[in-house]
Amino acid sequence: MTTIDLEEQFMKRVAADEKVEPKDWMPEKYRKTLIRQIAQHAHSEVVGMLPEANYISRAPSLRRKAALLAKIQDEGGHGLYLYCAAETLGVERDTLIEELHSGKAKYSSIFNYPTLSWADMGAIGWLVDGAAILNQVPLCKCSYGPYARAMVRVCKEESFHQRQGYEILLTLCNGSADQKQMAQDSLNRWWWPSLMMFGPSDADSTNSEYSMKTKIKRFSNDELRQKFVDATKPQADILGLTIPDPDLKFNEQTRHWEYGEIDWEEFHNVVQGNGVCNKIRLRERNEAWDNGKWVREAATAYAEKREQRKNESKQVA
């Protein structure tokens, strides 16, 4: 069977919504597209722990501290699931981590913005995790089985994170005038970066068309961005906060909220490594990796010793 025949057969399976599994034949472009997307997703979960970790010691109560710790732990777990899914495509986890630490690999641009107040923990949960949910729920039906299955648990936990963030902002907005202003300031800073999270506009996206054709993705970047704006505007109204977009208006004909022009120059600048926190995030990740070396070495030594004892027991038997 020729490569062309195999590709035709592959596309028929995808069109029929059959799941592609690790041992199945797949086009090289499909495999590389998956590795790029899953790795970027995994890196985003791991780097996303950093801006929130900054507030573990400054949470306003023990309840908030415990919830924030749980959320950060969840994100570490999400990274683990995703690195495992990427490994099923024949790439080593150490390779992916090395690419992240060297700056070669990309992760979500949103995590290169600073967290300046406790309200940012609310904004990240509400906006960033809210955008992530819209991106990730369709991935539960991704054509690649291991990725789709990993996303089921990830999405359940992300919904908890979003509710947690919204509740933080709701509490602030029902507090003093200064607390509500803190929430508004946070929304002002995180709104536009959250819209950028969905990636370039469809006209400028180089990967979106193929990903949708092979059902890795189910919706385009602009479709997801519109869903996010439509869902978030009523939530902002409940909080009593103003979305920082003077061009935001409701279109009675389309029944959608129309939003202003996104600063794509800023987006590309951050993606290229020139954001406020790009260098800080990479430095912190490398430091964490170096500081955890003794743990990895101890775990490896324990596993090797255990295997050695198991083999010795077999020989005695």
Side-chain angles (χ1 to χ4, degrees):
M1 188 176 288
T2 66
T3 302
I4 294 176
D5 292 334
L6 287 169
E7 288 196 3
E8 288 179 356
Q9 191 177 71
F10 173 84
M11 290 308 300
K12 284 180 181 178
R13 288 187 60 199
V14 169
D17 279 333
E18 292 182 27
K19 285 286 182 282
V20 179
E21 298 298 341
K23 292 185 178 180
D24 295 340
W25 184 91
M26 63 186 76
E28 186 62 15
K29 184 176 181 180
Y30 179 79
R31 189 182 76 86
K32 288 183 175 179
T33 300
L34 277 169
I35 290 174
R36 178 195 58 77
Q37 180 169 327
I38 297 174
Q40 182 174 322
H41 192 165
H43 298 330
S44 298
E45 294 286 355
V46 171
V47 175
M49 300 164 71
L50 298 174
E52 293 170 316
N54 192 33
Y55 275 84
I56 291 174
S57 62
R58 291 185 280 173
S61 69
L62 184 59
R63 171 176 171 263
R64 295 295 190 195
K65 186 190 295 287
L68 185 58
L69 279 166
K71 180 186 180 187
I72 293 170
Q73 180 176 295
D74 286 347
E75 288 164 349
H78 298 172
L80 176 62
Y81 309 150
L82 293 163
Y83 284 129
C84 288
E87 285 180 312
T88 66
L89 292 160
V91 61
E92 294 290 333
R93 190 183 313 183
D94 286 348
T95 300
L96 298 178
I97 292 174
E98 184 180 341
E99 289 177 350
L100 170 64
H101 292 167
S102 68
K104 179 181 178 182
K106 296 290 189 293
Y107 54 86
S108 180
S109 60
I110 194 78
F111 299 119
N112 290 313
Y113 290 85
T115 47
L116 304 181
S117 73
W118 170 251
D120 287 3
M121 299 301 99
I124 288 174
W126 173 40
L127 299 175
V128 177
D129 293 317
I133 289 169
L134 284 173
N135 252 324
Q136 294 169 9
V137 167
L139 290 174
C140 293
K141 295 184 178 180
C142 170
S143 57
Y144 188 59
Y147 193 19
R149 290 188 287 272
M151 293 315 301
V152 173
R153 179 167 178 172
V154 171
C155 288
K156 288 179 180 178
E157 292 176 348
E158 290 290 6
S159 352
F160 159 72
H161 300 165
Q162 184 190 29
R163 290 195 298 272
Q164 175 190 342
Y166 192 78
E167 196 264 339
I168 288 173
L169 290 181
L170 186 61
T171 301
L172 289 172
C173 289
N174 287 328
S176 67
D178 286 343
Q179 287 174 320
K180 186 168 184 179
Q181 182 54 46
M182 183 191 297
Q184 181 64 60
D185 174 67
S186 187
L187 173 58
N188 292 346
R189 287 182 288 104
W190 289 95
W191 174 253
W192 291 106
S194 295
L195 292 191
M196 297 175 194
M197 269 184 73
F198 296 96
S201 63
D202 294 340
D204 297 325
S205 178
T206 56
N207 301 302
S208 191
E209 184 179 352
Y210 181 79
S211 293
M212 291 186 66
K213 179 182 177 182
T214 53
K215 295 190 177 181
I216 295 173
K217 290 175 60 174
R218 297 281 177 155
F219 298 97
S220 71
N221 296 348
D222 287 338
E223 285 177 314
L224 291 171
R225 196 170 1 255
Q226 185 63 64
K227 286 175 180 287
F228 175 76
V229 176
D230 290 343
T232 307
K233 176 60 170 68
Q235 295 169 352
D237 291 342
I238 293 172
L239 292 172
L241 297 178
T242 303
I243 289 177
D245 180 359
D247 296 324
L248 188 68
K249 60 182 179 181
F250 189 70
N251 188 315
E252 291 289 350
Q253 292 184 328
T254 64
R255 309 302 296 174
H256 290 302
W257 285 94
E258 296 178 353
Y259 51 91
E261 185 66 29
I262 296 172
D263 186 352
W264 290 115
E265 185 177 344
E266 177 185 331
F267 170 77
H268 290 298
N269 191 46
V270 175
V271 169
Q272 290 165 10
N274 301 315
V276 177
C277 294
N278 286 69
K279 292 181 176 61
I280 295 172
R281 300 293 181 240
L282 283 182
R283 186 184 70 238
E284 290 175 339
R285 274 304 308 151
N286 277 281
E287 287 175 355
W289 181 256
D290 293 341
N291 291 337
K293 182 180 179 181
W294 71 271
V295 179
R296 296 191 299 275
E297 290 177 345
T300 301
Y302 175 78
E304 290 174 349
K305 191 67 175 178
R306 187 177 180 181
E307 188 66 25
Q308 181 184 342
R309 288 175 178 170
K310 188 185 296 183
N311 292 334
E312 289 172 353
S313 298
K314 287 180 181 178
Q315 289 173 2
V316 171

